[in-house]
């Protein structure tokens, strides 16, 4: 199972699926579909609101090119976030987001409701969506996930903490590296992505240098036992996964030179709330999450369908690589053909 990395990577608002509480194949009734993930690290929050459009006589594809079949007129909806602790209300504004035109649902644009009002950490928010014409009301609640506490690598970026993925003088033998953190309040699921930064230049002009990175997913499906926080989580990173990830993400090119930055590693922790964890687990294996599927089982939207949860991220930047790992990066069997040089010395 792939947890929530696809949901974490950028803003991917989707039509949610079905519910065990509603018969979406019944005669037409107004069914509102809501999708939103509150992220305190993002400058803008996004909520998507659509219509369910299943019809006994016609395929969903018959409706796919008609915006009126998918989206409510913007003047018909009120979309708000309410801070539960004090009742403060945030009104969301509609915007149109262009689509790329690919796939069956090739509309010119989607309607998304947004706010740039900062969210308060460790607070609970209620989403309230009302159809001002029909009176239809849907609600959902979610906390805002707190931050994790990093232990390995340490959170303090001034501490030199070289990472070594190989056994020195071990004939390119790989070694595991432990990553350790303390879970966040109201969080349940974690991925860890290692971002590797490097320079690249054409051999014909060594002063023409650009900086690039490749992301390597090192941990998927790490779960805390609860959502109270303060639980120590440990994951062992297989050294060969680092080298294999670099090899997958960087193409062989004999016309360029490359070198890792002085502190080339950035650990990126992706954090998901309990409702998001439940949604992914229950709907695992269901095809067509952008379509209405009567077999999907999970929603936490009261009076409607979809998902309203929380996510966040946290980074530990400027981590160095051990000299043995640098040597293997430049000269080892996995990445030795990628034209890396260390301190001006290369194996290519």
């Amino acid at each position: 199972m792939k947890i929530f990395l696809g949901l974490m990577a950028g803003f991917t608002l989707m039509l949610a699926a079905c519910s065990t509480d509603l018969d979406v194949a019944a005669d037409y009734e107004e069914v509102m579909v809501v999708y939103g993930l509150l992220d305190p690290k993002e400058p803008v929050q996004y909520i998507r609101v659509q219509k369910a459009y299943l019809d006994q006589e016609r395929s969903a594809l018959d409706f796919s090119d008609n915006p009126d079949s998918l989206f409510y007129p913007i003047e018909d909806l009120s979309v708000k976030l309410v801070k539960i602790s004090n009742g403060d209300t945030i009104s969301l504004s509609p915007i149109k987001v262009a689509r790329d035109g690919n796939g069956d649902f090739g509309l010119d644009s989607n309607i998304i409701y947004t706010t740039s009002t900062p969210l308060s950490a460790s607070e609970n928010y209620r989403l309230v969506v009302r159809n001002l014409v029909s009176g239809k009301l849907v609600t959902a609640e979610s906390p805002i996930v707190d931050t994790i506490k990093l232990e390995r690598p340490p959170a303090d970026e001034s501490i030199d903490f070289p990472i070594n993925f190989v056994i020195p003088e071990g004939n390119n033998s790989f070694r595991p590296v432990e990553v350790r953190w303390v879970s966040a309040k109201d969080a349940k699921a974690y991925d860890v992505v290692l971002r590797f930064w490097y320079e690249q230049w054409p051999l014909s002009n060594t002063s023409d240098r650009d900086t690039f990175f490749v992301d390597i997913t090192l941990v998927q499906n790490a779960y805390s036992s609860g959502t109270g926080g303060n639980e120590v989580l440990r994951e062992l990173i297989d050294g060969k996964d680092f080298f294999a990830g670099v090899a997958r993400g960087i193409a062989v090119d004999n016309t360029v030179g490359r070198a890792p930055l002085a502190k080339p590693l950035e650990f990126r922790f992706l954090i998901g709330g309990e409702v998001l964890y439940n949604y992914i687990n229950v709907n695992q294996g269901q095809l067509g999450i952008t379509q209405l599927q009567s077999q999907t089982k999970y929603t936490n939207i009261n009076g409607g369908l979809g998902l309203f949860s929380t996510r966040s991220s946290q980074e530990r930047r400027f981590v160095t690589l051990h000299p043995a790992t640098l040597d293997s990066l430049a000269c080892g069997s996995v990445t030795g053909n990628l034209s890396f040089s260390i301190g001006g010395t290369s194996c290519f």
Side-chain angles (χ1 to χ4, degrees), residues 84-285:
I84 293 178
S85 64
N86 60 12
D88 285 353
T89 298
I90 303 170
S91 295
L92 280 73
S93 301
I95 62 171
K96 290 188 176 182
V97 179
R99 291 174 54 95
D100 60 12
N102 295 327
D104 294 318
F105 294 83
L107 298 176
D108 292 335
S109 63
N110 291 323
I111 299 175
I112 308 298
Y113 294 81
T114 73
T115 178
S116 57
T117 300
L119 301 179
S120 301
S122 300
E123 284 279 358
N124 284 26
Y125 285 85
R126 179 181 296 115
L127 174 67
V128 180
V129 183
R130 186 185 299 274
N131 185 330
L132 301 176
V133 176
S134 70
K136 177 72 174 179
L137 175 70
V138 303
T139 63
E141 293 185 10
S142 177
I144 301 297
V145 291
D146 206 346
T147 56
I148 64 173
K149 299 174 183 178
L150 294 179
E151 292 189 348
R152 187 180 177 93
D156 188 348
E157 293 181 352
S158 68
I159 298 176
D160 188 25
F161 190 81
I163 300 294
N164 188 13
F165 289 113
V166 300
I167 300 174
E169 300 179 0
N171 193 26
N172 288 326
S173 297
F174 303 111
R175 66 185 295 270
V177 171
E178 183 187 60
V179 178
R180 186 169 69 240
W181 68 96
V182 179
S183 67
K185 185 178 182 298
D186 294 314
K188 178 67 177 179
Y190 302 84
D191 284 359
V192 182
V193 175
L194 184 63
R195 179 164 289 182
F196 170 67
W197 291 89
Y198 65 97
E199 283 187 316
Q200 180 174 300
W201 59 90
L203 295 179
S204 59
N205 184 4
T206 59
S207 63
D208 182 17
R209 300 192 173 212
D210 290 315
T211 301
F212 300 91
F213 67 83
V214 58
D215 282 343
I216 307 161
T217 301
L218 297 178
V219 175
Q220 287 182 296
N221 311 342
Y223 305 135
S224 58
S225 60
T227 58
N230 294 319
E231 179 181 346
V232 177
L233 299 178
R234 296 177 174 87
E235 294 289 333
L236 283 180
I237 308 303
D238 193 329
K240 68 181 180 182
D241 291 340
F242 166 72
F243 291 99
V246 171
R248 284 194 303 269
I250 302 177
V252 175
D253 187 345
N254 295 325
T255 69
V256 303
R258 296 176 172 122
L261 300 188
K263 296 182 178 181
L265 300 185
E266 177 182 342
F267 286 83
R268 303 172 62 84
F269 294 82
L270 310 176
I271 309 164
E274 185 173 25
V275 167
L276 180 56
Y277 160 81
N278 292 337
Y279 181 85
I280 296 296
N281 273 280
V282 171
N283 289 337
Q284 168 60 25

